[in-house]
Amino acid sequence: MDPSVAEQALGGGVPSGGGVDQAGGVDHVLSPAMAAPPEPQPCPDPLGTPPKVEMVLPVQSAAQESELNERSYRGESNTPIPDEDSVVFNKLTYLGCASVNAPRSEVEALRMMTILRGQCQLPLDVTLSVPGVSEGTVRLLDPQTSTEIASYPIYKILFCVRGHDSTPESDCFAFTESHYNAEIFRIHVFRCEIQEAVSRILYSFATAFRRSTKKTLLSGLAPPLTPDSDVFTFTVSLEIKEDDGKGTFSAVAKDKDKNSFKLRPGMDKKIVIYVQQTSNKELAIERCFGLLLSPGKNVKNSDMHLLDLESMGKSSDGKSYIITGSWNPNTPQFQAVNEETPKDKFMYMTTAVDLVITEVEEPVRFLLETRVRVCSPNERLFWPFSKRNYTETYYLKLRQMERKSNNDTLYEVLSLESEVPFGTRLCRRAHVYFCKVDNKVVLNSLLSDNDEPLLSGSGDVSKECAEKILETWGDLLSKWHLNLSVRPKQLPALVRSGVPEALRGEVWQLLAGCHNNDHQVEEYRTLITKESPQDSAITRDINRTFPAHDYFKDTGGDGQDSLYKICKAYSVYDEEIGYCQGQSFLAAVLLLHMPEEQAFSVLVKIMFDYGLRELFKQNFEDLHCKFFQLERLMQEYIPDLYNHFLNVGLEAHMYASQWFLTLFTAKFPLYMVFHIIDLLLCEGISVIFNVALALLKTSREDLLATDFEGALKFFRVPVPKRYRSEENAKKLMELACSMKVLQKKLKKYEKEYHAMREQQEQQEAPIERYERENRRLQEANMRLEQENDDLAHELVSSKIALRKDLDNAEEKADALNKELLMTKQKLVDSEDEKRRLEEESAQLKEMCRRELDKSESEIKKNGSIIGEYKQCSILFSKEGRLKAARKLKEGSEEETDEEKEALKNQLREMELELAQTKLQLVEAECKIQDLEHTLGLALNEVQAAKKTWFNRTLTSIKTATGAQGKETT
């Protein structure tokens, strides 16, 4: 075994839950298949938790396994296999396999891992052998006899993944592989007795994915890559996808022996480039500004053809930068790679991608030269083949120049070299896009200040207007309102000078005939309540529309909300066309001048009455006709520029698509955009030709000095920015209005176009035409079937949901009815109890009232006795004092002791009698208080008292009252 491989396997690691694909990195997001994968066939009873052992990872040598035989997928057995560098892992358990439809989906892989781990009943102990090179084979061995159980060539393995640390599957890993030559994918799941070994196993897979048998490098190309090194390593992978006739694009096969892509003639294709930095400080890829393709190798820059970019950006894991472009092989420049290649021969194809890296002064071009072979449409693909990407490693040597700021560093490119299977190639830089100034390499206007395109919605439009112009328009509008069916004669001349900004909303509605359209306003309010099948596309485009304008830049703001409703309403209103990207820009222009109901009415008028709707038809036949007409007009008005474009291979559809589909609203400043809409509503769609010719004529000298790529960049950036100046825009519109594009000429060119198309169709082989038409019909049929399935599924789901809601409502109603009946019965019982308690309370109150009356009479009686006693005491006191005074007056000072003693005794007796009377009074008051307390208790307890209890209480009260009366008496 190669010691370096063993060292890497023992020391490497893969992040928890991460997946490794054939690109050698964490897998990027891939859409899972629509249909759910079949449930796996589980192995029978999971094992218990394995005993804890020391973390030891036994590794066997390659010599110990060199005697094993590879089991071929072609059905051949017992074929001797060559020795190969490999890493062998013991103490693994095979949990089983299952079919999957999304072989590179980490979510799908983790789901199947969970199912197989939980349901496995007969795990199989195995030893796993992982090769160290991409041409090797992964083998499952019997741990006892070292005999081979199964084998999987590395090129058939698509994706590896491990379980997340926080889950029971943290000790598991899995890999997916393509089964035989069919589009069948299986996932194999393993469990490690030593959990820490999982990351090392995945590291070995990653090493096998990215290593090549041709490891020899020139010593000068493999410097030690430290964080401070000036060499930055990138891996760039190329994937080619073909239209499979089912509405999707699938990766093409690659001949494993000759390392060449197998293409089919006449099939639309896509080029996908994956760029990943693998060493040194991370550089930020800002954007891709060119994906180019050409037949052959060592081609010139002028021979490269720019492809239409579909998307660019980082992968979901942030480790790769992915660029996708569409490739139509039926164009003349790609004829060499669209014709069947003789048997056992191949040709070369060159792909280039130009990237702007933030820290690097100049653009960087990665160039890939690959072998391709165009096969017969009927040729079957036999083993060995793979769908692996073509990958090259690049060494970008940079030198630090100067600091752009306190934190950022600016580099210049010293060299860019590539390691390829056939040797080492010095890659060319993207020098098309920069030039020399004062012997120093700097970016030209295409990549410096002017490299960023002008954002849509740019430019301030003033509402100020000369008083004389406003008076003229006021007089015209007054006359026009008198007879709205006839346009004033002086209207076209005024519109060519531009409608005053303050009047545009009213004038546009009058020009479009939407001044009195209450019916469509009401229809709009109904349409916005309906669901649109293109809702996701509309939502995605809203943020991209007029981001430079304050009214539309806020996500969820009033502007974006109104724009969304208009686009949604139109997609429902016009089911045949639905929503197209250009509509959002036109709708945004209208919203800046009128309420959304009126803006919708004007949008419908423009789409239907001004011919814009025809441009969005599925085959874009009318749009191609417009491009043909524009080229013929160029041939007439600007012949030298027409010939130049012809020489460099620049066609009208490459630069004028947005002009026609968005009416110039997507890229140009608002002042110019509004003026174009003025002319469109007044004179019709032919105005687009006037403006297009004016743009070409004013840019003629600059365009004549460019090549193919430079012209495209010039149209994309400098042309729109030139008209940020209101003065430049005015001159352009004056030139456009002065150019006479006769309808007769346009009709003539239209007939020429259709005649040319008929001739091409007649020259085309019938079988090719039928095949193309058949593919188109198949795509339409699949789309309709999918829509039908979606609608049927939605209908069934709605019915099920409604049935479930109805059942729940019925059950709830039954429960409420039962509860209502119980409540009514409780109410009747409560009312009866209330009446009974009220009667008892009334009786008790009457009894208590009688007792109280009796007690009050006794109190009065006692009070009268006490009063008489007090009067006697007073009288006695007075008589005693009178007698004493009389005796004093009579001068009798003698008193006998007997008389004094008698008086004292009489006084003591009266005091005693008075004390007894007071005591009786106090006792009577205490008993009255006891009676009142007893009455209160009786009233409180009468609610729960029974009749027998009431009788006992009544008797006790009577007894107490009788005793009191006797004592009082």
Side-chain angles (χ1 to χ4, degrees):
M1 183 189 67
D2 186 351
S4 64
V5 177
E7 182 180 354
Q8 289 176 348
L10 289 171
V14 174
S16 172
V20 180
D21 65 0
Q22 282 279 29
V26 178
D27 187 36
H28 57 277
V29 174
L30 291 175
S31 301
M34 291 176 60
E39 290 296 323
Q41 301 174 355
C43 312
D45 205 28
L47 291 177
T49 304
K52 184 175 181 180
V53 297
E54 291 186 7
M55 205 289 287
V56 180
L57 191 63
V59 180
Q60 298 177 359
S61 66
Q64 289 177 296
E65 71 166 295
S66 62
E67 59 185 15
L68 300 178
N69 296 327
E70 180 182 12
R71 192 164 49 193
S72 172
Y73 276 96
R74 302 167 74 178
E76 301 173 359
S77 60
N78 300 325
T79 304
I81 60 171
D83 293 348
E84 63 181 18
D85 293 338
S86 62
V87 183
V88 181
F89 301 94
N90 291 325
K91 296 187 179 181
L92 303 181
T93 302
Y94 181 68
L95 301 180
C97 71
S99 297
V100 291
N101 289 332
R104 288 187 174 90
S105 169
E106 181 180 347
V107 175
E108 181 71 4
L110 292 174
R111 187 178 80 88
M112 303 307 292
M113 186 186 298
T114 302
I115 294 173
L116 286 171
R117 190 185 191 283
Q119 297 183 359
C120 182
Q121 298 178 357
L122 292 176
L124 176 66
D125 293 335
V126 296
T127 296
L128 180 68
S129 172
V130 183
V133 293
S134 59
E135 289 76 12
T137 302
V138 175
R139 297 183 177 86
L140 301 186
L141 311 175
D142 187 308
Q144 303 298 327
T145 62
S146 295
T147 57
E148 182 178 303
I149 301 173
S151 62
Y152 312 97
I154 280 291
Y155 71 85
K156 284 182 173 288
I157 296 177
L158 307 176
F159 180 65
C160 295
V161 68
R162 66 165 298 176
H164 290 280
D165 284 340
S166 58
T167 65
E169 293 75 37
S170 60
D171 58 350
C172 296
F173 72 94
F175 64 79
T176 58
E177 51 100 11
S178 59
H179 188 44
Y180 299 94
N181 293 338
E183 293 294 332
I184 299 175
F185 305 102
R186 296 187 305 184
I187 184 170
H188 301 268
V189 180
F190 300 81
R191 184 176 63 203
C192 294
E193 183 175 335
I194 305 167
Q195 181 176 340
E196 292 81 356
V198 177
S199 61
R200 304 179 181 189
I201 295 173
L202 259 69
Y203 187 90
S204 295
F205 273 101
T207 302
F209 285 164
R210 66 173 176 260
R211 293 192 63 181
S212 170
T213 52
K214 312 281 194 239
K215 303 188 196 63
T216 57
L217 293 175
L218 297 179
S219 59
L221 293 180
L225 299 179
T226 65
D228 298 328
S229 173
D230 57 357
V231 176
F232 298 76
T233 309
F234 291 83
T235 58
V236 181
S237 300
L238 167 66
E239 182 180 34
I240 303 177
K241 295 183 177 182
E242 273 186 349
D243 186 351
D244 57 9
K246 301 177 182 178
T248 57
F249 285 79
S250 302
V252 303
K254 189 153 69 73
D255 190 306
K256 182 174 180 291
D257 296 333
K258 298 178 181 178
N259 202 28
S260 61
F261 288 101
K262 293 188 173 183
L263 309 180
R264 307 276 186 178
M267 307 294 290
D268 288 341
K269 298 174 177 62
K270 289 186 179 181
I271 297 292
V272 185
I273 301 290
Y274 305 88
V275 182
Q276 182 176 357
Q277 184 178 344
T278 57
S279 75
N280 218 320
K281 183 188 77 172
E282 183 178 2
L283 300 176
I285 298 177
E286 186 175 331
R287 64 188 177 280
C288 166
F289 61 88
L291 179 60
L292 303 100
L293 188 68
S294 175
K297 60 186 296 188
N298 296 323
V299 297
K300 300 177 181 178
N301 286 324
S302 57
D303 295 335
M304 300 291 289
H305 305 283
L306 195 66
L307 301 182
D308 290 335
L309 287 174
E310 288 190 357
S311 64
M312 68 180 77
K314 284 191 174 183
S315 59
S316 60
D317 57 21
K319 293 190 175 182
S320 299
Y321 195 86
I322 306 173
I323 305 103
T324 304
S326 58
W327 170 21
N328 180 7
N330 296 312
T331 54
Q333 54 266 33
F334 298 122
Q335 184 177 359
V337 285
N338 197 37
E339 297 176 348
E340 187 174 341
T341 309
K343 193 173 181 181
D344 297 330
K345 292 186 182 262
F346 58 85
M347 66 184 71
Y348 281 94
M349 181 182 76
T350 302
T351 308
V353 58
D354 294 330
L355 300 178
V356 175
I357 301 176
T358 302
E359 298 90 340
V360 181
E361 180 198 28
E362 58 196 68
V364 177
R365 169 172 289 184
F366 293 109
L367 203 67
L368 299 98
E369 293 176 348
T370 56
R371 292 176 177 176
V372 296
R373 181 172 175 269
V374 183
C375 307
S376 169
N378 301 321
E379 180 177 340
R380 298 182 61 186
L381 298 177
F382 295 99
W383 187 89
F385 79 94
S386 75
K387 292 190 176 181
R388 286 188 55 202
N389 301 342
Y390 175 83
T391 303
E392 287 189 24
T393 302
Y394 293 82
Y395 301 96
L396 177 64
K397 190 169 185 178
L398 303 176
R399 181 174 64 191
Q400 183 174 339
M401 293 178 56
E402 57 182 287
R403 291 192 176 274
K404 295 165 59 179
S405 65
N406 293 332
N407 299 322
D408 298 333
T409 303
L410 185 65
Y411 297 95
E412 66 173 337
V413 178
L414 296 180
S415 66
L416 176 61
E417 297 176 329
S418 168
E419 170 201 354
V420 294
F422 314 104
T424 303
R425 179 175 73 243
L426 182 65
C427 297
R428 288 159 290 177
R429 305 178 193 172
H431 61 272
V432 176
Y433 304 106
F434 58 88
C435 58
K436 292 269 187 178
V437 176
D438 296 332
N439 294 322
K440 183 178 179 182
V441 178
V442 296
L443 298 179
N444 65 10
S445 60
L446 296 182
L447 283 178
S448 57
D449 176 63
N450 287 333
D451 185 48
E452 288 297 333
L454 189 68
L455 292 177
S456 63
S458 299
D460 296 327
V461 181
S462 174
K463 290 189 177 182
E464 295 183 1
C465 184
E467 185 176 350
K468 185 176 181 180
I469 296 176
L470 287 176
E471 289 178 357
T472 304
W473 273 98
D475 295 340
L476 181 140
L477 291 175
S478 299
K479 295 177 182 178
W480 198 357
H481 278 288
L482 297 175
N483 186 2
L484 292 173
S485 60
V486 179
R487 289 183 177 181
K489 292 181 180 180
Q490 64 270 37
L491 181 64
L494 287 177
V495 170
R496 287 173 186 172
S497 299
V499 179
E501 177 63 16
L503 301 177
R504 273 198 168 109
E506 180 184 359
V507 173
W508 285 0
Q509 291 182 60
L510 292 172
L511 287 170
C514 300
H515 48 278
N516 187 14
N517 201 353
D518 295 337
H519 170 71
Q520 201 153 51
V521 169
E522 291 300 323
E523 188 175 15
Y524 169 76
R525 293 170 182 168
T526 303
L527 290 171
I528 59 177
T529 63
K530 298 181 179 180
E531 295 295 328
S532 169
Q534 296 161 302
D535 188 80
S536 59
I538 297 171
T539 304
R540 183 175 61 249
D541 286 344
I542 294 305
N543 288 329
R544 307 173 184 174
T545 305
F546 283 11
H549 199 283
D550 291 340
Y551 186 56
F552 297 103
K553 69 179 181 181
D554 294 332
T555 302
D558 293 340
Q560 289 196 10
D561 181 62
S562 297
L563 186 56
Y564 166 77
K565 289 193 287 186
I566 288 182
C567 294
K568 173 186 174 182
Y570 187 86
S571 68
V572 178
Y573 177 82
D574 186 0
E575 295 181 357
E576 181 183 359
I577 300 299
Y579 169 75
C580 300
Q581 286 184 330
Q583 294 172 3
S584 63
F585 294 98
L586 183 56
V589 171
L590 298 175
L591 274 174
L592 292 175
H593 296 90
M594 61 192 76
E596 60 186 68
E597 294 87 350
Q598 283 74 27
F600 173 75
S601 299
V602 176
L603 176 64
V604 170
K605 276 284 186 180
I606 293 175
M607 292 294 293
F608 278 83
D609 295 354
Y610 287 81
L612 190 62
R613 183 175 179 271
E614 301 301 319
L615 301 180
F616 294 101
K617 289 290 182 68
Q618 186 174 3
N619 58 3
F620 291 98
E621 189 68 21
D622 193 68
L623 184 60
H624 289 297
C625 180
K626 294 289 188 292
F627 295 146
F628 178 81
Q629 292 171 318
L630 179 59
E631 289 179 342
R632 292 302 306 273
L633 289 170
M634 280 183 62
Q635 190 176 8
E636 178 182 354
Y637 287 95
I638 325 171
D640 53 349
L641 186 59
Y642 170 79
N643 293 328
H644 176 69
F645 282 0
L646 203 61
N647 292 333
V648 299
L650 187 64
E651 300 175 5
H653 68 86
M654 299 176 182
Y655 58 85
S657 296
Q658 279 196 339
W659 296 355
F660 285 94
L661 293 178
T662 69
L663 305 180
F664 300 94
T665 57
K667 296 295 182 184
F668 289 88
L670 290 181
Y671 178 88
M672 178 176 163
V673 167
F674 294 165
H675 199 167
I676 292 172
I677 301 301
D678 295 341
L679 295 169
L680 171 79
L681 291 170
C682 184
E683 301 182 11
I685 200 169
S686 62
V687 168
I688 299 178
F689 294 104
N690 294 65
V691 179
L693 288 172
L695 282 170
L696 292 168
K697 197 166 186 178
T698 54
S699 305
R700 171 180 162 276
E701 293 183 1
D702 295 312
L703 290 170
L704 287 173
T706 62
D707 59 3
F708 176 85
E709 298 158 353
L712 287 181
K713 297 301 179 294
F714 189 79
F715 278 118
R716 185 173 65 91
V717 181
V719 169
K721 286 190 173 182
R722 176 176 292 176
Y723 301 103
R724 288 181 295 187
S725 165
E726 191 171 322
E727 187 63 30
N728 289 344
K730 281 184 178 180
K731 291 179 179 179
L732 175 74
M733 297 310 297
E734 288 174 0
L735 178 60
C737 293
S738 66
M739 301 189 75
K740 303 297 182 182
V741 179
L742 300 177
Q743 290 293 329
K744 186 183 295 185
K745 283 185 180 180
L746 292 177
K747 289 290 183 182
K748 175 187 175 183
Y749 297 151
E750 184 178 356
K751 289 181 181 179
E752 286 184 16
Y753 172 78
H754 290 301
M756 181 188 67
R757 290 290 297 165
E758 290 177 4
Q759 185 178 2
Q760 289 177 350
E761 291 176 359
Q762 290 174 1
Q763 292 176 352
E764 185 180 18
I767 187 170
E768 294 179 358
R769 184 169 67 253
Y770 294 147
E771 286 178 352
R772 187 182 69 254
E773 184 66 18
N774 184 50
R775 286 197 301 270
R776 188 181 65 80
L777 293 174
Q778 283 181 346
E779 292 175 0
N781 183 55
M782 290 185 65
R783 185 176 65 255
L784 292 174
E785 285 181 353
Q786 182 61 46
E787 291 177 0
N788 184 55
D789 291 343
D790 293 342
L791 291 173
H793 181 267
E794 184 179 350
L795 178 61
V796 171
S797 301
S798 300
K799 286 185 176 180
I800 292 173
L802 289 173
R803 180 71 261 177
K804 186 177 180 180
D805 292 342
L806 182 60
D807 293 341
N808 293 337
E810 289 177 349
E811 292 176 0
K812 190 173 182 180
D814 292 340
L816 290 174
N817 286 333
K818 291 179 182 178
E819 186 176 350
L820 179 61
L821 292 174
M822 294 174 63
T823 304
K824 286 182 178 180
Q825 185 61 40
K826 288 181 181 180
L827 179 60
V828 172
D829 295 342
S830 299
E831 289 178 348
D832 293 341
E833 181 70 14
K834 179 183 177 183
R835 283 194 298 272
R836 185 179 64 77
L837 293 175
E838 285 178 350
E839 291 175 358
E840 291 182 357
S841 177
Q843 294 175 3
L844 184 59
K845 284 180 180 180
E846 181 62 26
M847 181 200 71
C848 292
R849 187 184 60 77
R850 290 197 301 269
E851 293 299 326
L852 286 174
D853 291 344
K854 186 174 179 181
S855 298
E856 287 177 358
S857 63
E858 292 293 335
I859 290 171
K860 288 180 181 179
K861 182 178 177 181
N862 293 334
S864 63
I865 293 172
I866 293 170
E868 291 175 357
Y869 175 75
K870 287 181 177 180
Q871 289 177 0
C872 292
S873 299
I874 294 170
L875 180 62
F876 177 78
S877 299
K878 287 181 179 181
E879 289 178 353
R881 287 194 297 272
L882 289 174
K883 288 179 181 180
R886 207 167 32 244
K887 287 179 181 181
L888 290 172
K889 288 180 181 181
E890 291 176 355
S892 180
E893 295 177 358
E894 297 179 357
E895 287 184 2
T896 61
D897 294 336
E898 293 179 359
E899 289 177 351
K900 290 181 180 179
E901 190 66 28
L903 289 173
K904 289 181 180 179
N905 291 335
Q906 187 179 4
L907 180 59
R908 281 196 296 271
E909 289 175 359
M910 292 181 71
E911 289 177 348
L912 179 61
E913 184 178 357
L914 177 60
Q916 290 177 351
T917 304
K918 286 182 177 180
L919 180 61
Q920 289 179 356
L921 179 61
V922 171
E923 289 178 352
E925 288 177 350
C926 289
K927 288 186 178 181
I928 290 172
Q929 289 179 356
D930 291 339
L931 286 173
E932 290 176 346
H933 179 66
T934 303
L935 177 61
L937 292 175
L939 290 174
N940 291 334
E941 296 175 359
V942 74
Q943 300 296 331
K946 299 297 181 181
K947 190 172 183 180
T948 54
W949 177 88
F950 174 78
N951 291 336
R952 289 197 301 271
T953 304
L954 187 60
T955 303
S956 65
I957 293 174
K958 286 182 179 180
T959 304
T961 306
Q964 178 200 1
K966 289 178 182 180
E967 290 177 4
T968 306
T969 305

